[in-house]
Amino acid sequence: MQRRTVVLGLCGLAFARPALASGGGDKKDEKKKDDKKPGQLPIPGKGQRYVRLPTIVLELWDRDGNFRMSSVDLLLLVHEDAKLAEKQLSEKMKRQLNATPYEEYMASNPAPMIKATMLDLARKEPGGDKIIDLLINKMIFR
């Protein structure tokens, strides 16, 4: 009697497996509908484009004299006809961020501070009136 129960249970699982598999297929269909990955940038609107700035490597010293390093990758969302000197802008940003004390830099989340100060600096440059937004692509603390 017990053997029959086990065999019938296994047969039931074998027949139920395709039904369970078809239920899991709905999740795959939902993923196909939403092709955007979590870290993927939004597609720029008509007449806009992204400008990647060279990586900014920060060399910061704390109060105790310890060396700290951070690197930041920035993207600018600009109008299509904007002309910027990316290298010069990146160097100015690097100089301004390196002048920031480490304690102030790491006092809280440095991302909003970097975004606000760098966007303000970029808009003061020639062609900066065409800058729509500044995005932080990557931040690494070492």
Side-chain angles (χ1 to χ4, degrees):
M1 188 70 168
Q2 290 178 350
R3 264 191 239 168
R4 287 183 193 162
T5 307
V6 171
V7 171
L8 288 173
L10 290 175
C11 289
L13 284 176
F15 289 116
R17 183 175 262 168
L20 292 174
S22 68
D26 294 338
K27 291 181 183 176
K28 290 180 183 176
D29 292 338
E30 289 175 12
K31 287 184 181 179
K32 287 181 184 176
K33 290 177 185 174
D34 187 24
D35 289 340
K36 187 177 176 186
K37 295 177 184 173
Q40 191 175 5
L41 290 171
I43 298 171
K46 189 174 183 177
Q48 299 175 349
R49 65 183 172 103
Y50 287 113
V51 174
R52 184 184 181 284
L53 295 176
T55 301
I56 299 171
V57 179
L58 304 175
E59 300 166 350
L60 304 167
W61 297 88
D62 64 6
R63 284 187 197 146
D64 300 328
N66 296 323
F67 177 72
R68 307 292 179 153
M69 192 166 149
S70 178
S71 63
V72 182
D73 285 342
L74 300 174
L75 293 171
L76 291 173
L77 180 63
V78 298
H79 290 286
E80 214 167 77
D81 58 343
K83 293 183 181 175
L84 296 168
E86 291 93 9
K87 276 191 170 181
Q88 291 174 349
L89 183 59
S90 179
E91 284 299 315
K92 285 184 180 183
M93 289 178 173
K94 179 180 177 179
R95 276 187 252 128
Q96 184 171 353
L97 285 173
N98 277 329
T100 306
Y102 177 75
E103 285 75 16
E104 182 182 329
Y105 183 75
M106 292 300 289
S108 62
N109 184 1
M113 184 266 302
I114 288 175
K115 182 175 180 173
T117 57
M118 296 303 104
L119 185 60
D120 186 46
L121 180 70
R123 286 190 172 152
K124 291 178 183 175
E125 290 297 308
D129 55 336
K130 302 275 185 174
I131 296 173
I132 300 168
D133 198 8
L134 180 130
L135 304 167
I136 297 174
N137 191 27
K138 178 174 58 173
M139 287 182 75
I140 298 175
F141 301 101
R142 298 176 188 156

